[in-house]
Amino acid sequence: MIVGYRSTIITLSHPKLGNGKTISSNAIFQRSCRVRCSHSTTSSMNGFEDARDRIRESFGKLELSPSSYDTAWVAMVPSRHSLNEPCFPQCLEWIIENQREDGSWGLNPTHPLLLKDSLSSTLACLLALTKWRVGDEQIKRGLGFIETYGWAVDNKDQISPLGFEVIFSSMIKSAEKLDLNLPLNLHLVNLVKCKRDSTIKRNVEYMGEGVGELCDWKEMIKLHQRQNGSLFDSPATTAAALIYHQHDQKCYQYLNSILKQHKNWVPTMYPTKIHSLLCLVDTLQNFGVHRHFKSEIKKALDEIYRLWQQKNEEIFSNVTHCAMAFRLLRMSYYDVSSDELAEFVDEEHFFATNGKYKSHVEILELHKASQLAIDHEKDDILDKINNWTRAFMEQKLLNNGCIDRMSKKEVELALRKFYTTFHLAEKRRYIKSYEENNFKILKAAYRSPNINNKDLLAFSIHDFELCQAQHREELQQLKRWFEDYRLDQLGLEERYIHASYIFGVIVIPEPELSDARLMYTKYIALLTIVDDNFESFSKDECLNIIELVERWDDYASVGYKSEKVKVFFSMFYKSIEELATIAEIKQGRSVKNHLVNLWLELMKMMLMEQVEWWTSKTIPSIEEYLSVTSITFGSKLFLLSIQYFLGIKISKDLLESDEICGLRKCSGRVMRILNDLQDSKKEQKEGSINSVTLLMKSMSEEEAVMKTKEILEMNKRELLKMVLVQKKGSQLPQLCKDIFWRSIKWAYFIYLQTDGFRIEEEMKNHIDEVFYKPLNH
């Protein structure tokens, strides 16, 4: 049997599911918007629209915040005509004008965890001012800051810029040569120098300014100079090459190109177009508001894909950019090959090449990309990346305490497979953790003004609240359906509505597809009732129900074997007729026969399981088992029926096409096997049949579990391939394909958990957070 949806839909109860007025499901989204707007002033709604417009405009404003650290290094570059004059005096002016009130330089506004960044930026600015003998007052105030906050140099709770130990120690030495007396604790200075000596043994070209005269700059330029003239797209490292090597025309041209745009300051990374576009698209998706910016996102991804095909240096010379571009493009249905990530398959090789110090962000992005394998053999590259990045994050990042608390949360989230999380719950967490003044960090902390701003946060909060209001309205409607059809008389408790609805939201999150979401939720509830009743009814009663369904339009002539059958069929008939009417309106033709026949097939298969497998002890083959039980699980029923409710007219021939059959087969098997893996121990004790116990007829339990997981992974990848890779001549709309992938997400969400109590608690939390709790709570 289906192994009880009742056991899947965990025992849940929520007191906030109350009564309300009946409204058409087609009007729920519009009404929720009106209800929300009625509590807002006209000016606030205008502000919402204005925010959306400004977010759209931000796609054309792609830049990073000023970097005091990098600007200081550029300011230290001597003129090509005289070593006693600065080449870029405008940067010195910027430094003098942008000292903070506490005497420091750095990201503005700063953050309590960025003291190391402020110390590094401040020391770099002090070196520039001292070198050119200007800014005595600024130097005095900067030294005061270092004296006050020097303790943070070795503080483990503070976030370290990349290469901090090497670069800060090197700048201390430079200060000594300039007779700049730093008020730092001698013990701390020696400690930093020791860390520098141990770090500098590694391949650290990216922080070449921290190696200084010890670096072979001529060889560095030969090996690592980009087409744009930079070293690693880093203004600081490129400036250091001119300070220590002095003559390289392309380095000068690179720095001049930045100052031509920004006048008197530089960011910590340049160029920034690809970086900003990738981060903006990723952030909009994380906020769950990407549907409002479809044309802008498509234009951005089209541009990234064009550059991907050209093997653009800005993408492929940066590990983070390459991994992010691959993930975003593949998940947006672009044809990208994992071959482009082949150089990252080996951990040792990864850390030894490219001359760039690796941050946890690169590892994290590689791991996210590695979860998108769509071919078992060809995506061996992604498998290898997945193996070592997961091990590295678990063993070295989380357990060794080598990253700060904020980064640790990012890593913990990345270790959860993206298809096992509830997107609305993650959206809420993302909004709650988002700060207008959030930052990222390389050798200096930075922000992207088009991402870290109040417009994006306010817009996302408003959108979340609109969706939350709609979900509450839909839950009210489901409660009325529960009461009107007296589902409690058939053994279903009202508390199951919440959990069933969560599955509906996972599969159909689009606000405008209310009918489809409600239908999916009702089908889960109906299947739970059918499954329970087929287990409790006698064989004659089950056959009676099947005959009633077979003679749907003439069911009255069949009669009932018992009062229980009569009560059950009366509810079932009214529910399907109601949903068939909605489907007919959406399709412009009657599809009732198909909806009824899908239920009929499921019931016949359930009876076959009950009579032939469980009662007669007939042992099916693994193939026969998966074919039958993926149907009795309900996957075919759900996934084909839902197509009629998506607002897309879909023909009978298309629903019977090889493409739909392939999608249905893979998704059904994934859902079935996930359930089997969770329940295998219990069913083994009960003597029940599932995919694991069947395989144990010819192998050990451990081997059977491993083999079952292989079948699961193969079908999951094949499904993802059919959904993401555009098939020539396919007539199936993308939304229709996406539904199959989303359906296995709720199965992963539920069945990958082995702790029943943990599942129940997590579901309760999700119900409260997504449907009821205000964001400001």
Side-chain angles (χ1 to χ4, degrees):
M1 291 289 268
I2 194 174
V3 192
Y5 267 84
R6 185 177 301 281
S7 65
T8 304
I9 304 173
I10 298 88
T11 304
L12 297 168
S13 178
H14 210 292
K16 297 178 183 175
L17 188 58
N19 291 312
K21 295 180 180 179
T22 302
I23 60 170
S24 165
S25 60
N26 287 329
I28 287 179
F29 181 55
Q30 289 79 1
R31 172 172 169 177
S32 68
C33 290
R34 290 198 301 272
V35 169
R36 182 67 188 145
C37 293
S38 67
H39 296 295
S40 305
T41 63
T42 303
S43 61
S44 69
M45 280 310 298
N46 289 339
F48 176 71
E49 296 299 328
D50 290 344
R52 179 161 56 188
D53 291 340
R54 286 193 292 271
I55 293 168
R56 284 176 175 149
E57 290 172 4
S58 70
F59 278 87
K61 300 175 182 176
L62 305 170
E63 60 181 46
L64 303 184
S65 56
S67 168
S68 303
Y69 170 81
D70 289 81
T71 301
W73 276 98
V74 174
M76 284 188 272
V77 175
S79 168
R80 283 180 284 183
H81 308 295
S82 171
L83 295 179
N84 297 318
E85 296 178 2
C87 186
F88 304 106
Q90 66 269 44
C91 292
L92 271 178
E93 293 173 11
W94 185 92
I95 291 170
I96 291 172
E97 292 170 1
N98 286 274
Q99 188 175 32
R100 298 189 297 217
E101 288 186 8
D102 62 1
S104 70
W105 284 268
L107 188 63
N108 196 22
T110 189
H111 188 281
L113 293 177
L114 284 179
L115 282 176
K116 287 184 181 180
D117 178 69
S118 293
L119 287 167
S120 179
S121 296
T122 299
L123 182 49
C125 289
L126 292 178
L127 291 177
L129 296 174
T130 304
K131 179 174 182 176
W132 303 118
R133 299 182 177 87
V134 295
D136 290 345
E137 180 60 29
Q138 285 78 15
I139 293 173
K140 181 180 177 181
R141 291 173 59 212
L143 291 172
F145 175 83
I146 289 177
E147 183 176 19
T148 303
Y149 294 100
W151 57 266
V153 167
D154 192 48
N155 188 280
K156 292 181 180 179
D157 290 330
Q158 288 289 319
I159 297 173
S160 288
L162 291 182
F164 177 77
E165 291 86 359
V166 171
I167 295 171
F168 196 77
S169 177
S170 177
M171 289 195 293
I172 290 174
K173 286 188 174 182
S174 297
E176 292 170 355
K177 290 179 182 179
L178 291 170
D179 293 326
L180 178 63
N181 189 21
L182 298 177
L184 281 171
N185 181 288
L186 184 61
H187 172 70
L188 281 177
V189 171
N190 291 333
L191 198 62
V192 171
K193 286 181 178 179
C194 288
K195 289 186 177 181
R196 175 184 186 269
D197 293 339
S198 63
T199 304
I200 208 167
K201 294 175 183 177
R202 291 181 279 160
N203 203 356
V204 290
E205 286 94 333
Y206 173 59
M207 42 187 157
E209 64 267 35
V211 183
E213 295 172 346
L214 297 177
C215 179
D216 186 342
W217 288 99
K218 185 176 182 180
E219 185 69 10
M220 167 93 85
I221 291 172
K222 179 181 176 182
L223 292 176
H224 299 296
Q225 191 169 47
R226 304 262 165 94
Q227 292 175 10
N228 59 25
S230 77
L231 294 175
F232 312 108
D233 292 335
S234 168
T237 308
T238 308
L242 291 174
I243 293 169
Y244 296 106
H245 184 59
Q246 294 184 13
H247 301 295
D248 187 88
Q249 185 63 26
K250 291 180 71 177
C251 287
Y252 279 113
Q253 289 173 349
Y254 168 74
L255 295 178
N256 275 314
S257 70
I258 306 175
L259 292 169
K260 185 177 180 181
Q261 179 176 340
H262 296 301
K263 308 302 183 186
N264 57 2
W265 60 269
V266 299
T268 195
M269 172 175 56
Y270 188 88
T272 61
K273 180 180 178 181
I274 294 299
H275 177 83
S276 297
L277 276 179
L278 289 169
C279 290
L280 181 55
V281 172
D282 195 41
T283 300
L284 291 172
Q285 290 183 354
N286 288 332
F287 271 131
V289 297
H290 51 290
R291 68 185 185 282
H292 294 286
F293 308 97
K294 287 181 180 178
S295 61
E296 290 82 6
I297 289 175
K298 185 178 187 308
K299 184 179 178 181
L301 290 178
D302 282 346
E303 171 68 5
I304 292 169
Y305 184 56
R306 182 183 67 80
L307 295 173
W308 177 278
Q309 290 178 307
Q310 295 174 357
K311 298 191 183 300
N312 177 269
E313 187 178 54
E314 194 177 343
I315 294 177
F316 287 97
S317 64
N318 185 298
V319 177
T320 301
H321 294 173
C322 188
M324 278 187 77
F326 174 82
R327 171 171 59 85
L328 293 174
L329 289 172
R330 177 164 279 192
M331 285 304 293
S332 299
Y333 321 113
Y334 292 83
D335 182 16
V336 288
S337 171
S338 58
D339 290 345
E340 304 296 349
L341 303 178
E343 65 176 296
F344 310 129
V345 297
D346 179 76
E347 179 181 353
E348 186 175 338
H349 177 72
F350 173 78
F351 281 99
T353 57
N354 300 325
K356 182 169 178 179
Y357 184 85
K358 303 301 185 292
S359 77
H360 78 275
V361 176
E362 293 175 324
I363 312 294
L364 187 148
E365 286 298 339
L366 277 175
H367 185 72
K368 289 180 184 177
S370 73
Q371 296 180 40
L372 294 175
I374 57 176
D375 189 293
H376 191 63
E377 294 182 1
K378 290 184 180 178
D379 273 344
D380 181 53
I381 290 169
L382 296 184
D383 289 337
K384 290 178 179 177
I385 292 174
N386 185 274
N387 289 338
W388 79 256
T389 54
R390 171 169 286 276
F392 185 89
M393 288 193 294
E394 289 175 342
Q395 297 166 16
K396 297 183 180 179
L397 292 185
L398 294 184
N399 293 335
N400 288 356
C402 58
I403 56 174
D404 57 87
R405 286 172 293 183
M406 291 172 64
S407 301
K408 185 176 180 180
K409 289 180 181 178
E410 291 180 48
V411 171
E412 287 171 343
L413 185 59
L415 285 169
R416 296 184 66 180
K417 293 182 174 68
F418 76 97
Y419 46 83
T420 68
T421 57
F422 183 21
H423 65 282
L424 282 180
E426 295 306 327
K427 173 181 173 180
R428 181 191 175 93
R429 291 187 191 120
Y430 195 84
I431 292 173
K432 292 286 283 185
S433 64
Y434 180 86
E435 299 175 27
E436 294 172 32
N437 294 323
N438 196 9
F439 60 87
K440 294 185 179 181
I441 194 161
L442 292 171
K443 286 185 289 188
Y446 68 94
R447 293 189 181 97
S448 301
N450 57 330
I451 298 172
N452 308 114
N453 60 69
K454 62 182 180 181
D455 288 328
L456 189 50
L457 181 60
F459 184 85
S460 301
I461 290 172
H462 188 87
D463 181 75
F464 184 89
E465 290 173 342
L466 281 177
C467 291
Q468 195 176 54
Q470 179 179 358
H471 294 323
R472 287 197 291 266
E473 294 235 26
E474 289 178 359
L475 280 164
Q476 298 288 354
Q477 182 163 333
L478 288 165
K479 180 180 184 292
R480 291 189 293 273
W481 171 71
F482 179 92
E483 293 172 347
D484 292 345
Y485 285 76
R486 299 180 178 178
L487 300 188
D488 57 325
Q489 293 185 10
L490 294 162
L492 192 72
E493 296 180 59
E494 184 184 309
R495 56 192 175 185
Y496 293 110
I497 293 297
H498 278 97
S500 301
Y501 183 65
I502 275 188
F503 301 151
V505 172
I506 290 174
V507 178
I508 309 108
E510 292 83 359
E512 68 274 15
L513 296 180
S514 179
D515 282 324
R517 189 162 41 253
L518 291 168
M519 168 263 159
Y520 199 93
T521 305
K522 289 177 181 179
Y523 260 44
I524 290 178
L526 290 172
L527 184 54
T528 304
I529 293 170
V530 169
D531 180 45
D532 284 355
N533 280 280
F534 263 62
E535 285 185 340
S536 61
F537 285 169
S538 67
K539 179 182 177 182
D540 286 344
E541 286 173 320
C542 290
L543 288 170
N544 186 199
I545 291 171
I546 289 172
E547 186 179 1
L548 287 164
V549 176
E550 283 178 325
R551 298 173 63 178
W552 189 266
D553 293 326
D554 188 33
Y555 73 88
S557 64
V558 176
Y560 305 107
K561 290 285 185 182
S562 67
E563 183 64 22
K564 286 194 302 181
V565 171
K566 182 178 179 180
V567 172
F568 166 81
F569 187 76
S570 175
M571 174 281 303
F572 183 76
Y573 181 85
K574 284 194 295 182
S575 294
I576 301 304
E577 283 286 325
E578 177 192 283
L579 291 168
T581 300
I582 296 172
E584 182 174 349
I585 293 169
K586 290 188 175 292
Q587 293 298 315
R589 63 185 177 89
S590 175
V591 296
K592 181 172 69 175
N593 286 343
H594 190 212
L595 294 176
V596 171
N597 285 334
L598 287 169
W599 278 105
L600 180 62
E601 179 187 34
L602 178 138
M603 290 175 177
K604 286 182 175 180
M605 292 293 188
M606 280 185 169
L607 187 62
M608 188 186 83
E609 279 189 75
Q610 187 183 67
V611 174
E612 294 187 18
W613 293 359
W614 314 135
T615 306
S616 303
K617 301 296 182 183
T618 302
I619 306 297
S621 66
I622 186 68
E623 186 63 32
E624 183 185 5
Y625 169 81
L626 289 174
S627 296
V628 171
T629 57
S630 62
I631 292 174
T632 58
F633 190 87
S635 58
K636 181 178 180 181
L637 172 73
F638 294 156
L639 294 168
L640 295 189
S641 300
I642 192 66
Q643 304 294 333
Y644 292 129
F645 294 81
L646 298 176
I648 300 169
K649 291 205 167 42
I650 189 162
S651 68
K652 184 173 180 290
D653 289 341
L654 192 54
L655 277 180
E656 293 174 351
S657 66
D658 290 342
E659 187 173 10
I660 280 276
C661 288
L663 288 162
R664 177 186 59 76
K665 179 181 176 182
C666 287
S667 55
R669 291 185 172 209
V670 168
M671 295 164 82
R672 176 73 266 171
I673 291 172
L674 283 168
N675 184 221
D676 284 357
L677 285 168
Q678 188 191 60
D679 290 344
S680 63
K681 290 284 187 185
K682 182 184 74 174
E683 291 178 341
Q684 188 179 340
K685 290 178 182 178
E686 295 172 351
S688 301
I689 295 173
N690 74 16
S691 51
V692 177
T693 58
L694 280 174
L695 289 169
M696 285 173 63
K697 304 291 181 185
S698 57
M699 59 185 74
S700 69
E701 181 181 356
E702 184 179 348
E703 291 171 329
V705 170
M706 188 177 297
K707 179 66 177 175
T708 304
K709 288 181 178 178
E710 287 176 7
I711 299 171
L712 170 68
E713 184 65 17
M714 180 181 68
N715 279 278
K716 187 263 292 182
R717 293 189 183 196
E718 185 60 29
L719 175 62
L720 191 57
K721 181 178 180 180
M722 287 188 282
V723 171
L724 296 183
V725 179
Q726 302 302 307
K727 186 179 178 182
K728 257 189 178 180
S730 172
Q731 299 297 310
L732 195 62
Q734 189 61 51
L735 176 60
C736 298
K737 298 178 189 178
D738 290 342
I739 293 296
F740 289 88
W741 173 252
R742 295 174 187 174
S743 286
I744 74 161
K745 286 187 71 174
W746 73 250
Y748 271 103
F749 174 63
I750 289 296
Y751 294 128
L752 271 191
Q753 304 274 17
T754 56
D755 184 340
F757 177 76
R758 183 180 170 187
I759 301 173
E760 183 173 345
E761 287 302 305
E762 190 167 349
M763 289 284 280
K764 284 180 178 177
N765 289 336
H766 286 335
I767 287 169
D768 196 44
E769 289 181 349
V770 173
F771 303 145
Y772 297 107
K773 188 186 290 185
L775 266 172
N776 60 4
H777 188 272

